[in-house]
Amino acid sequence: MTAPDPDGLLAEQLLRLTRRVHRIQKRHLEHRGLGITPAQSRLLRTLAHYASPPRMADLAERLEVVPRAVTTLVDGLEAAGKVRRVPDPDNRRVIRIELTDDGRAALRELHAGRRAAAEEILAPLTDGQRTVLGGLLDTLVDGPTAERGDRAP
């Protein structure tokens, strides 16, 4: 008889929770009728973190995908009016990607949808449980340095 594998059980629970989070977020996105896929929403959120418009290669690196995948996402978002390609002011061979006003409005809607999904998922937890969960998630995301109050860069 084999002993129970608590780490295996935790890993399975985390995977199930991740799938549930994605399903609920997707439902909230569809309800808002933005016509944006989860991958496109991730690109928009990533794009919003840049101080100036990034290159496609920068986006691919940050998203940890091949550049061709970014091209496909940008093509769809550009057709929808959420982003636009702009020439680099210092190098005319380089194209940068920037958010449009429509893209910024979509980001606000995406944020509201993600917040609604989080509220739905966290609804069964008390405030104290949410605080504990937040600390545990920080430790898992940032590694053991989060326990000591240090922050990874």
Side-chain angles (χ1 to χ4, degrees):
M1 182 170 192
T2 59
D5 178 10
D7 288 342
L9 176 60
L10 284 173
E12 181 61 30
Q13 287 174 307
L14 286 171
L15 289 172
R16 286 176 38 219
L17 176 60
T18 300
R19 285 191 294 266
R20 182 168 182 242
V21 167
H22 284 119
R23 273 193 319 272
I24 290 171
Q25 284 183 347
K26 186 175 179 182
R27 181 171 36 97
H28 280 273
L29 279 178
E30 289 169 355
H31 176 72
R32 291 174 183 278
L34 294 174
I36 294 174
T37 67
Q40 288 173 330
S41 79
R42 184 171 174 234
L43 186 136
L44 285 175
R45 289 190 322 273
T46 301
L47 192 54
H49 289 289
Y50 283 92
S52 61
R55 299 171 306 137
M56 299 269 250
D58 299 329
L59 289 169
E61 184 178 328
R62 176 81 61 94
L63 293 169
E64 297 178 344
V65 299
V66 296
R68 178 70 189 122
V70 171
T71 300
T72 301
L73 293 173
V74 168
D75 287 347
L77 288 168
E78 187 176 37
K82 308 292 188 238
V83 301
R84 70 178 143 252
R85 288 173 165 92
V86 295
D88 184 300
D90 300 322
N91 183 345
R92 66 182 184 168
R93 293 175 294 166
V94 174
I95 298 296
R96 297 192 173 267
I97 309 303
E98 72 178 9
L99 283 169
T100 63
D101 289 340
D102 258 4
R104 281 186 274 286
L107 270 173
R108 287 189 292 276
E109 283 292 316
L110 289 169
H111 178 73
R114 287 170 61 94
R115 183 145 182 88
E119 288 172 5
E120 181 177 333
I121 290 165
L122 298 173
L125 301 180
T126 66
D127 288 344
Q129 289 172 321
R130 289 176 188 212
T131 300
V132 169
L133 178 61
L136 293 170
L137 290 173
D138 279 345
T139 300
L140 292 175
V141 169
D142 298 335
T145 58
E147 293 174 6
R148 297 189 309 265
D150 300 337
R151 281 289 185 228

